[in-house]
Amino acid sequence: MRIKEYLRKVEKGEILPSKEIPRIVEKLDKLNEKYSCFITLNKNPRITSKKGRLRGIPVVIKDCICTKGLRTTSGSKILENYFPVFNATIVKRIEEEGGIIVGKTSMDEFGFGTFCTNCAFNLPKNPHDITRSAGGSSGGAAVALAMSDLPLLSIAESTGGSISCPASFCGVYGLTPTYGLVSRYGLIDYSNSLDKIGVMGKSAWDCALGLSVIAGKDSNDQTSIGEEKDYTRFVNKKYIEKNISGKIIGVPKEYFGKGVDKQVKKIVMNAIKKYESLGAKIKEISLPYTKYALSAYYVIALAESSTNLSKFCGLRYGLATEIKGNADEYFSSVRTKGFGKEAKRRILLGTYIRMKGYRNKYYLKALKVRKLIIEDFKKAFEKCNVLMAPTMPFIAPKFNEIKSLTPAQQYASDILTVAPNLAGLPMINVPVGKINGMPVGLHIIGNHFEEGEILSFAGAIKW
Amino acid sequence: MDIEKVAKIARINLDENEKKEFEKELKEVLKIFSELEEVNTTNVEPAFNVIRIINISRKDEVKPSLRIKDVLKNSKHTEKNYFKGPRII
Amino acid sequence: MVKIGLEIHVQLNTRTKLFCSCKNEASKKPNVNTCPICLGMPGSKPLINEEAIKKAIKIGLMLNLNFSKKMFFSRKSYFYPDLSKNYQITQYELPVGTQGYFLINVKGRIKKIRIRRIHIEEDPAQIIHVGGSITNAEYVLLDYNRSGVPLCEIVTEPDFESSEEVIIFMKKLLSYLQHIKVFDIRKCKWRCDVNVSIPKGNRSEIKNVGSFKGIKSAINYEIIRQESLINKGFEVKRETRHFNASTNTTELLRTKEEEIDYGYIFEPDLTSFELSSYIKDSEDNMPELPEEIIKRLIKEYKLSKNNAEILVQKDPLFVEFFEKCSKMYENKKKLSNWIVGDLFKCLNFQEKSLFESKIKPNDFVDFLNLMDSKKITERLGKELIKEYVEKGIPPRQLMNRKNLNLLSKKEILNVIEKVIKENPKSVKDYQEGKKIVIDFLIGEVMKKTRATADPKITRELLEKKLKNK
């Protein structure tokens, strides 16, 4: 059942959330045994009587977002038994609108991963083929949607592509809003200048509904900006008809290069061409700084995340070992035990590039390159309304293929998503086709605060 | 990269295998990062924030603090409402 | 020539902490003024306090600072149990401002101390070393009430040439900070890192000195230590040292090679600041600067320039104290003389501030009234005020405790009898014409009566008694 239909039935009284939700949770529990997409299921959710826009909707939340009283691990052993004493702002907003939090979804530890294989707990499996990756780092969020027909709203998070990638691999819609549009209060940080909370759904409309509830300035996050808005009207048929015609779709040639699978390119290009029949025009453009986006992204993300992870040291919260030895020994023992390999790698790299003597070369340099990349996009949006490209360079890889990749090769898989994430642009993955049963995603990227525009394109065609 | 030095700063213990493994992996990644040197960034301002927002601050008004039980809730080591920790030296 | 520079940290007297709305207030109960932000809980985000920015700017205005066009915060990373995130949010490349100055009066000469920069940062938590000191404790207990309290760090150029100059500067600075209402000596703490170097040597940084006594001892010890190294032909190395208040020495903390690499990055959870609107607000709300207060005291209370200056510049609380006393006491001149004279001398001698001495306006006025009504002599008054400053016990209570009421004539006579008996030679000398000996005998009476005998009456009675003999 789709969310729209579920809401209608709840309003009519045909579905009673108090009865339906426990049934849904039971189903999720069973499915979880097969697909491992939940770290924590909320087996006794409080069913409120709030009659808002999400009345009675079961909501699943990526486990890096704090839910008061409900275990939140950020996919890491170091927070294995952590129970936040406060709610993230988006959780408050969802509950205010009648949404019911039923589970916390699997993820790469602290968001560190492209394939959701760096998980301390459940490693999620792609419902289209359980020998393949669900995509990362919001793997569980995408799997929870793709594995059944349940009317779930799935909240996820993206730093370098962590919403787009799993959405692409699992064949669902995944919306990453403009940086700052959705409050990060209560989001366990990966990289503060890059993290964005977003929505996954079975349709553009679902994403629009979710965004309408969570978006808008929050006084608890001083980098948040934007008014609350109803985004579902952009997915309205009449609006779409008027909107698409005459618009210019920019296709960046750098996103169709050698590193992208031929079949993926073909499927995505055909999908883009379909918009011509709705009156849009296609224009080939160039984003010359694209090749530096991967480095700039990783340098900044690693620098920030290595400081964010310093707080986990066995004091105040989180994993703790026996207190013996001095502070340095204690901190090291806790951190060595609690962090996975990828987390350690990133902390080491992130620490190195901030050190005296390297800081100028890497960290400060990357900040400047980021500026150039943002300007690249700004120039493109002077001529185009949206940009379109493949979301990922290939379909979901098999787990054993991933094992043979070096970290550098894994990082390189992000080439298509890092640049718009670095620039804080809104983007949405649209499932437009399949290769051997595995989903292929079209990425629609908009200018800052143009969520309405990309949603309207995303909802324009039924794939 | 002096991996021992970095690991010490980051408070992470590495065994000999890990040191070798990480050193190799990280070297490969750093090679990719050095591409950034190709870019001409003279007169380019670093982008601290992506969206231009300035001067956001809050009023100096007291709001309730956490109840002590919530403060200590997630800590294994506490003593008489203090957090307990290892000695410094 | 010695070169000394300071990095001064002062807590600001905002109502709430720097990055959260917890009370900026000390408490005997640990961890009662804490929240997810100042505890560094995952998911929390810093929320900068506008009042802290405005107060820092007031400090900048007072120090004639060049304000930065763009101000930004940074993360300074290091691991320590008192840092709730294991990084401190501070300012590195883009502080509040740079290149200011502050004038001090050194033995009549005006000296300009250049201010290199000022910036805003958060205070860490408090550590209790259980079972020993920092070097040999068993474990620690942590109280995060102080975590996140706003600090303004003021960095000077190495323009000081002696510990005396440093102390003159610090006293004037703290006084001015009180006057512009950004710092309250009763609640806010301050501490200094002191950098000392002598010619041919590298500089040492002495961390966390928190009193004037400590500053004096630390600097003087350091100068001697460094000079002796140079004299022996050794190098004075670049070091970070710790001041040991019980031995009055400095001890090595870290060598240059062991210096911490703080791995600074820009704080992405806070926006950047263009200060012009904050500067305008601070300028409009700038309290009376000390120069203005001096003028006002002279005009309103008819004080001498000297008294007015001492009241304003010597102790942050003198002006408030004086004005409170004035409401209860008519003779402003006498009042100011006693404050600026004996009270100030005693405080200085005992190296206490007015706040530390616990002297209250009510009791001080009562003390002056006691002298006016001749219940005690001025000479006794000078004695009592010493004890008052030392012990914090008001003179009236001191008097009652020791029965220090002025003696009656009869009581004085009794003492005179004793003195005459105990000093037969002096009595003989007096009677043989050495009249000046009477002063000695009066002194003896004073000693025995602890100055509770009125000297004039004593003289009269003595003269009478000695004549009769």
Side-chain angles (χ1 to χ4, degrees):
Chain A
M1 191 187 302
R2 289 303 180 85
I3 289 182
K4 223 181 207 168
E5 199 189 331
Y6 181 94
L7 283 170
R8 250 196 308 255
K9 293 209 161 148
V10 168
E11 183 158 349
K12 287 201 192 139
E14 289 167 25
I15 290 185
L16 290 169
S18 52
K19 293 227 157 65
E20 190 63 24
I21 294 290
R23 271 190 225 131
I24 290 176
V25 173
E26 225 186 290
K27 285 196 189 135
L28 290 174
D29 201 2
K30 264 225 171 78
L31 287 163
N32 192 38
E33 285 168 30
K34 189 167 184 202
Y35 298 110
S36 292
C37 57
F38 288 105
I39 298 179
T40 305
L41 263 171
N42 189 0
K43 304 236 166 123
N44 281 313
R46 204 164 43 104
I47 316 288
T48 68
S49 51
K50 299 253 182 189
K51 294 196 173 122
R53 288 171 287 179
L54 294 180
R55 182 180 179 188
I57 297 283
V59 182
V60 297
I61 306 223
K62 186 178 181 183
D63 208 18
C64 54
I65 295 170
C66 287
T67 42
K68 184 174 178 176
L70 183 60
R71 185 174 74 149
T72 302
T73 67
S74 205
S76 177
K77 271 212 152 50
I78 217 165
L79 288 176
E80 188 168 6
N81 291 304
Y82 181 66
F83 287 81
V85 297
F86 64 97
N87 264 328
T89 295
I90 65 120
V91 171
K92 265 191 239 144
R93 290 182 180 181
I94 287 169
E95 291 187 332
E96 279 291 304
E97 293 280 353
I100 297 154
I101 315 289
V102 296
K104 308 299 293 296
T105 53
S106 310
M107 53 182 283
D108 285 295
E109 180 174 11
F110 290 111
F112 299 151
T114 309
F115 302 115
C116 219
T117 49
N118 298 320
C119 308
F121 314 109
N122 309 11
L123 200 151
K125 309 199 179 37
N126 195 319
H128 299 273
D129 176 347
I130 59 172
T131 66
R132 290 180 186 267
S133 153
S137 59
S138 313
V143 170
L145 276 176
M147 71 185 184
S148 78
D149 271 330
L150 295 168
L152 295 179
L153 185 69
S154 183
I155 303 294
E157 176 276 334
S158 172
T159 304
S162 296
I163 292 178
S164 298
C165 170
S168 176
F169 284 176
C170 292
V172 297
Y173 290 74
L175 170 68
T176 307
T178 306
Y179 177 85
L181 183 62
V182 179
S183 169
R184 290 181 300 113
Y185 178 66
L187 169 63
I188 298 179
D189 309 292
Y190 166 172
S191 175
N192 318 60
S193 73
L194 287 155
D195 292 345
K196 313 146 201 84
I197 294 179
V199 192
M200 289 193 195
K202 291 259 172 73
S203 66
W205 189 88
D206 289 1
C207 291
L209 176 67
L211 185 65
S212 307
V213 168
I214 63 175
K217 192 175 153 97
D218 175 25
S219 58
N220 281 319
D221 173 358
Q222 287 182 341
T223 61
S224 75
I225 183 172
E227 325 140 359
E228 290 179 27
K229 228 176 1 195
D230 170 35
Y231 290 93
T232 58
R233 66 185 176 87
F234 295 104
V235 193
N236 179 295
K237 201 168 174 195
K238 284 214 177 91
Y239 179 88
I240 289 173
E241 273 167 18
K242 275 192 261 163
N243 188 45
I244 307 285
S245 179
K247 289 276 165 79
I248 303 186
I249 299 172
V251 178
K253 65 174 195 236
E254 290 85 1
Y255 286 59
F256 286 83
K258 269 186 288 179
V260 184
D261 179 87
K262 268 204 195 112
Q263 281 184 282
V264 167
K265 274 192 269 200
K266 192 160 171 227
I267 291 176
V268 170
M269 211 50 233
N270 286 338
I272 296 175
K273 290 210 179 94
K274 279 216 169 111
Y275 285 94
E276 283 179 314
S277 64
L278 295 176
K281 296 214 168 19
I282 298 178
K283 187 184 169 70
E284 193 190 75
I285 60 159
S286 169
L287 296 169
Y289 285 104
T290 301
K291 66 186 274 228
Y292 302 106
L294 198 70
S295 298
Y297 164 75
Y298 269 101
V299 167
I300 295 170
L302 292 173
E304 292 181 1
S305 64
S306 61
T307 64
N308 286 324
L309 263 54
S310 295
K311 56 172 65 74
F312 302 111
C313 62
L315 287 179
R316 303 176 294 274
Y317 43 74
L319 182 76
T321 56
E322 192 196 331
I323 294 187
K324 58 177 177 187
N326 64 28
D328 287 343
E329 289 162 353
Y330 179 72
F331 294 159
S332 303
S333 107
V334 170
R335 291 161 65 79
T336 305
K337 184 171 179 195
F339 287 135
K341 227 178 193 172
E342 184 61 31
K344 286 179 185 166
R345 250 182 228 121
R346 297 203 185 198
I347 291 171
L348 291 171
L349 260 174
T351 304
Y352 178 73
I353 58 179
R354 289 183 288 118
M355 283 166 69
K356 259 190 222 160
Y358 306 110
R359 196 173 166 262
N360 280 343
K361 175 177 171 177
Y362 295 109
Y363 175 67
L364 290 175
K365 184 79 177 182
L367 288 176
K368 294 182 180 178
V369 174
R370 180 180 199 174
K371 186 74 184 288
L372 294 171
I373 291 171
I374 296 173
E375 283 174 3
D376 246 5
F377 280 110
K378 288 297 188 186
K379 278 194 209 118
F381 284 115
E382 282 168 17
K383 303 176 255 172
C384 313
N385 299 100
V386 294
L387 306 179
M388 291 194 187
T391 306
M392 291 299 287
F394 36 71
I395 57 167
K398 286 193 184 280
F399 288 119
N400 53 26
E401 286 168 345
I402 297 167
K403 278 206 178 88
S404 63
L405 294 174
T406 65
Q409 287 168 328
Q410 288 198 33
Y411 299 166
S413 315
D414 292 332
I415 37 164
L416 299 178
T417 55
V418 282
N421 269 284
L422 199 51
L425 297 169
M427 61 204 100
I428 184 165
N429 175 76
V430 181
V432 295
K434 290 205 171 112
I435 298 173
N436 299 333
M438 293 310 297
V440 172
L442 164 71
H443 220 194
I444 305 177
I445 302 165
N447 202 349
H448 290 127
F449 301 108
E450 292 290 321
E451 283 74 11
E453 187 80 293
I454 59 173
L455 279 165
S456 134
F457 273 84
I461 300 176
K462 294 267 179 287
W463 304 96
Chain B
M1 188 204 275
D2 181 352
I3 196 140
E4 266 185 49
K5 186 175 182 198
V6 180
K8 187 162 181 235
I9 294 176
R11 302 299 186 274
I12 294 182
N13 297 327
L14 300 174
D15 61 42
E16 285 311 310
N17 282 336
E18 284 171 320
K19 280 187 204 158
K20 283 202 198 101
E21 206 184 312
F22 280 159
E23 208 157 9
K24 193 164 158 228
E25 290 167 349
L26 301 185
K27 209 171 169 186
E28 194 190 343
V29 175
L30 285 172
K31 205 158 162 227
I32 302 177
F33 289 175
S34 46
E35 280 179 351
L36 291 173
E37 290 172 58
E38 293 168 18
V39 186
N40 182 356
T41 53
T42 353
N43 296 326
V44 180
E45 286 282 305
F48 310 140
N49 304 120
V50 183
I51 306 291
R52 181 179 156 76
I53 330 178
I54 58 162
N55 292 4
I56 305 291
S57 54
R58 85 184 139 83
K59 291 220 171 306
D60 189 22
E61 285 162 0
V62 176
K63 291 201 178 137
S65 291
L66 273 184
R67 294 176 303 176
I68 192 78
K69 74 175 181 87
D70 283 340
V71 170
L72 304 170
K73 180 173 178 191
N74 283 290
S75 179
K76 231 193 205 150
H77 302 299
T78 61
E79 188 180 288
K80 288 191 247 170
N81 291 347
Y82 286 92
F83 290 100
K84 188 173 171 186
R87 60 177 205 270
I88 307 291
I89 299 182
Chain C
M1 218 179 40
V2 182
K3 274 203 197 163
I4 305 167
L6 300 175
E7 287 166 34
I8 307 147
H9 296 85
V10 291
Q11 288 181 338
L12 298 176
N13 66 348
T14 53
R15 282 191 215 117
T16 62
K17 294 184 178 183
L18 185 56
F19 295 116
C20 65
S21 304
C22 289
K23 269 194 223 156
N24 175 5
E25 194 178 85
S27 170
K28 290 217 171 76
K29 296 194 204 145
N31 294 307
V32 287
N33 293 328
T34 59
C35 73
I37 298 170
C38 53
L39 289 168
M41 288 181 175
S44 65
K45 305 283 180 279
L47 303 171
I48 180 115
N49 181 345
E50 68 175 11
E51 197 56 36
I53 299 177
K54 290 180 189 168
K55 286 188 196 270
I57 289 175
K58 285 191 182 148
I59 297 177
L61 289 167
M62 184 186 99
L63 296 175
N64 306 290
L65 213 66
N66 277 326
F67 289 103
S68 298
K69 268 204 358 233
K70 196 185 224 175
M71 183 181 86
F72 212 85
F73 287 88
S74 292
R75 291 184 182 176
K76 177 180 183 180
S77 289
Y78 61 98
F79 283 81
Y80 215 78
D82 64 2
L83 267 194
S84 67
K85 304 176 287 295
N86 284 321
Y87 61 81
Q88 178 198 39
I89 302 180
T90 175
Q91 295 179 320
Y92 186 53
E93 284 109 333
L94 298 172
V96 175
T98 57
Q99 297 178 303
Y101 64 87
F102 197 52
L103 301 173
I104 56 172
N105 184 326
V106 184
K107 298 194 185 120
R109 208 185 88 245
I110 306 289
K111 180 168 179 163
K112 185 188 225 183
I113 302 291
R114 293 169 300 161
I115 305 294
R116 182 177 292 177
R117 56 181 271 151
I118 77 170
H119 68 252
I120 304 168
E121 62 183 29
E122 51 178 348
D123 219 350
Q126 279 174 303
I127 304 182
I128 297 176
H129 302 279
V130 178
S133 70
I134 188 172
T135 47
N136 61 359
E138 214 184 298
Y139 59 91
V140 297
L141 292 179
L142 300 159
D143 174 9
Y144 289 84
N145 284 335
R146 194 184 71 180
S147 167
V149 164
L151 295 176
C152 180
E153 181 173 332
I154 301 166
V155 182
T156 75
E157 295 292 351
D159 289 345
F160 298 101
E161 294 171 286
S162 69
S163 62
E164 287 77 36
E165 288 185 1
V166 171
I167 300 210
I168 291 172
F169 174 91
M170 283 305 300
K171 285 187 174 170
K172 186 180 177 188
L173 178 74
L174 291 176
S175 165
Y176 273 51
L177 290 177
Q178 283 255 127
H179 286 303
I180 64 171
K181 298 193 170 45
V182 301
F183 179 84
D184 184 343
I185 198 94
R186 293 167 288 208
K187 294 195 298 175
C188 303
K189 302 276 186 302
W190 63 268
R191 58 188 188 267
C192 266
D193 295 337
V194 186
N195 290 287
V196 183
S197 71
I198 62 176
K200 296 204 192 114
N202 290 298
R203 68 179 168 91
S204 292
E205 183 186 1
I206 310 158
K207 289 203 83 69
N208 291 333
V209 190
S211 68
F212 298 146
K213 268 195 218 176
I215 290 177
K216 189 168 158 190
S217 302
I219 291 174
N220 292 338
Y221 176 83
E222 232 350 75
I223 294 174
I224 294 172
R225 181 188 78 87
Q226 293 185 10
E227 279 175 348
S228 110
L229 280 173
I230 298 262
N231 287 337
K232 292 186 187 143
F234 292 122
E235 191 196 345
V236 179
K237 297 195 183 135
R238 170 95 180 69
E239 285 173 357
T240 303
R241 300 178 71 83
H242 157 75
F243 175 64
N244 186 330
S246 34
T247 58
N248 276 333
T249 60
T250 67
E251 298 158 347
L252 177 65
L253 254 184
R254 288 189 294 272
T255 61
K256 178 173 169 218
E257 289 73 31
E258 295 164 337
E259 282 300 306
I260 301 174
D261 194 326
Y262 294 111
Y264 289 95
I265 60 168
F266 292 105
E267 173 53 77
D269 282 337
L270 297 170
T271 65
S272 68
F273 289 85
E274 277 154 33
L275 294 177
S276 41
S277 58
Y278 292 95
I279 293 173
K280 173 129 201 326
D281 188 289
S282 294
E283 279 171 341
D284 290 346
N285 288 303
M286 196 69 170
E288 232 181 346
L289 273 180
E291 283 77 21
E292 292 152 29
I293 304 178
I294 290 172
K295 286 193 195 130
R296 181 170 66 79
L297 289 176
I298 294 173
K299 191 163 169 220
E300 262 179 55
Y301 300 93
K302 310 273 185 287
L303 301 185
S304 68
K305 181 161 185 271
N306 183 59
N307 280 7
E309 278 176 356
I310 294 179
L311 275 178
V312 170
Q313 289 170 355
K314 293 303 184 184
D315 187 307
L317 292 177
F318 266 173
V319 174
E320 185 192 70
F321 182 76
F322 169 78
E323 294 200 281
K324 280 199 178 137
C325 290
S326 309
K327 292 204 174 102
M328 307 181 269
Y329 191 79
E330 262 309 307
N331 191 339
K332 320 294 179 196
K333 198 166 183 187
K334 185 168 189 177
L335 173 64
S336 73
N337 281 338
W338 268 93
I339 295 174
V340 154
D342 282 79
L343 178 56
F344 174 56
K345 256 189 260 172
C346 291
L347 289 171
N348 224 27
F349 183 74
Q350 295 187 33
E351 290 182 309
K352 273 190 182 172
S353 68
L354 184 60
F355 173 60
E356 286 169 316
S357 73
K358 301 198 199 317
I359 294 186
K360 302 275 178 296
N362 283 351
D363 296 320
F364 192 75
V365 167
D366 184 45
F367 165 67
L368 294 175
N369 285 332
L370 280 174
M371 283 188 288
D372 288 344
S373 61
K374 303 239 188 285
K375 291 230 173 68
I376 58 175
T377 60
E378 286 216 355
R379 187 166 168 172
L380 176 58
K382 284 177 195 277
E383 294 282 320
L384 287 174
I385 206 171
K386 271 193 213 147
E387 232 179 304
Y388 187 15
V389 169
E390 197 191 336
K391 298 183 183 158
I393 303 171
R396 188 179 280 273
Q397 270 184 59
L398 284 171
M399 275 171 52
N400 291 337
R401 279 193 203 181
K402 306 180 211 210
N403 279 316
L404 289 177
N405 293 297
L406 282 185
L407 297 181
S408 64
K409 271 194 184 166
K410 190 172 180 201
E411 290 166 319
I412 296 177
L413 269 172
N414 279 336
V415 180
I416 286 178
E417 299 273 339
K418 285 203 187 101
V419 167
I420 287 178
K421 225 186 203 165
E422 289 169 9
N423 296 281
K425 184 171 188 295
S426 308
V427 171
K428 197 163 175 251
D429 288 340
Y430 177 82
Q431 287 170 334
E432 282 175 5
K434 279 200 188 140
K435 297 297 174 198
I436 200 140
V437 172
I438 198 164
D439 289 330
F440 166 72
L441 292 170
I442 295 172
E444 289 298 296
V445 174
M446 287 300 129
K447 264 198 221 157
K448 281 196 191 295
T449 63
R450 288 158 75 234
T452 53
D454 184 305
K456 243 173 113 188
I457 299 176
T458 307
R459 184 182 287 272
E460 281 169 28
L461 292 173
L462 251 178
E463 280 174 346
K464 230 189 197 160
K465 212 40 198 257
L466 291 169
K467 205 193 261 172
N468 289 342
K469 264 204 152 220

